[in-house]
Amino acid sequence: MKCSYCQQEIIRNLTFKEILFPLLIKRERCVFCQQKFEKITVPACPTCSKPGWSSSCEECQQWEKRYPDYEFCHQALFRYNEAFKEWIYQYKFLGDFRLKTTFSAEIQEYFSHKKGWLVCSIPLSKDRFSQRGFNQAEAFLQAANVKTIPLLEKKVESLPQSNKNRQERLASPQVFGPTEQTFKIKNKKVILVDDVYTTGRTLFHAAEILRMYQPEKIQTFSLAR
């Protein structure tokens, strides 16, 4: 078995179940790669998972003023540290599609507690998808066997968020629109998924569209914060 990040061989004893049912063997990271990524632990903002906050952070307080009727709740797994920046660069910008499985175990664990929720990844524009060849959030969800539904489409091409500073990101216009599937979310619970939460602008824009279709609840999720 190879490490789902560095691709080096992992040598360990298989469990009895894994020997009998090889399909139960999950992709995992080697010890060295495990140590690179920092899981978010308390204290962290209860609203957006920003590390270091025991109560709602300043950013969330600003979003609450902007969207007073939206019960925002975001959860992330890892700190956006140097190791995660390197991973996202290799996966998203260099297009190393093998890395979609790097965090499959953690993603499966998180979504095992979200039975009955509709899961929607943040979409790419047609041009961006053609350039990259895959939607990074959709790919890591599929690698973790998480079913998704296309509730949004990106109608306007824009500069990548990574090319903008904080003020430019916050000032970004609405770029999303509904799909033919969006009517299905009335009275349903929905999770919006992106790779990284930076300012939250993308996820709030996405939720803004979905809220018009009267879901019971919307939550958001990212690998890193």
Side-chain angles (χ1 to χ4, degrees):
M1 178 171 56
K2 292 184 178 181
C3 171
S4 57
Y5 183 27
C6 72
Q7 307 300 314
Q8 297 298 310
E9 290 290 340
I10 297 176
I11 300 175
R12 69 168 175 82
N13 293 325
L14 297 177
T15 66
F16 184 67
K17 281 187 176 181
E18 289 173 330
I19 294 172
L20 290 178
F21 307 101
L23 291 178
L24 292 178
I25 301 175
K26 296 180 179 180
R27 295 301 302 270
E28 60 186 77
R29 298 185 297 282
C30 65
V31 173
F32 179 73
C33 289
Q34 285 279 18
Q35 294 172 347
K36 287 183 175 182
F37 301 99
E38 299 177 70
K39 288 188 176 181
I40 294 175
T41 56
V42 293
C45 174
T47 314
C48 76
S49 296
K50 185 176 182 178
W53 290 79
S54 57
S55 58
S56 186
C57 69
E58 293 177 353
E59 295 173 34
C60 287
Q61 292 174 35
Q62 292 300 315
W63 284 122
E64 186 176 353
K65 292 177 182 178
R66 200 161 182 172
Y67 294 94
D69 299 325
Y70 175 28
E71 189 179 344
F72 175 64
C73 178
H74 180 82
Q75 292 183 297
L77 300 179
F78 298 94
R79 288 175 178 260
Y80 190 56
N81 62 6
E82 288 303 317
F84 200 93
K85 290 178 185 178
E86 178 61 26
W87 177 83
I88 203 76
Y89 177 73
Q90 292 181 41
Y91 174 52
K92 184 174 176 178
F93 298 108
L94 296 185
D96 190 343
F97 194 61
R98 297 173 302 172
L99 300 186
K100 65 182 179 178
T101 64
T102 302
F103 305 106
S104 288
E106 289 86 357
I107 294 169
Q108 288 175 338
E109 169 62 21
Y110 176 81
F111 282 96
S112 69
H113 303 287
K114 295 293 183 180
K115 302 297 185 184
W117 289 67
L118 299 178
V119 181
C120 173
S121 60
I122 295 297
L124 302 179
S125 68
K126 292 181 180 179
D127 288 345
R128 188 79 66 217
F129 185 86
S130 296
Q131 292 169 7
R132 188 171 297 157
F134 64 96
N135 178 320
Q136 69 278 2
E138 185 75 12
F140 65 63
L141 287 169
Q142 290 179 351
N145 297 315
V146 177
K147 293 183 179 180
T148 62
I149 181 171
L151 301 175
L152 296 166
E153 60 180 345
K154 193 171 184 182
K155 292 181 169 294
V156 180
E157 182 59 88
S158 59
L159 285 174
Q161 292 289 73
S162 58
N163 292 350
K164 301 176 184 179
N165 60 35
R166 180 175 180 78
Q167 285 67 38
E168 289 171 333
R169 292 184 187 204
L170 290 172
S172 297
Q174 175 63 266
V175 294
F176 299 116
T179 69
E180 294 180 355
Q181 304 269 27
T182 314
F183 71 92
K184 295 181 179 180
I185 70 173
K186 186 173 182 179
N187 298 325
K188 298 290 182 62
K189 297 177 181 179
V190 179
I191 300 178
L192 286 166
V193 179
D194 206 357
D195 49 8
V196 178
Y197 181 111
T198 307
T199 63
R201 178 68 279 180
T202 298
L203 289 168
F204 275 93
H205 268 325
E208 190 176 282
I209 298 298
L210 297 188
R211 289 180 67 221
M212 293 189 288
Y213 291 81
Q214 301 179 315
E216 177 186 337
K217 184 179 293 185
I218 296 176
Q219 291 187 357
T220 59
F221 170 85
S222 65
L223 290 180
R225 173 72 171 98

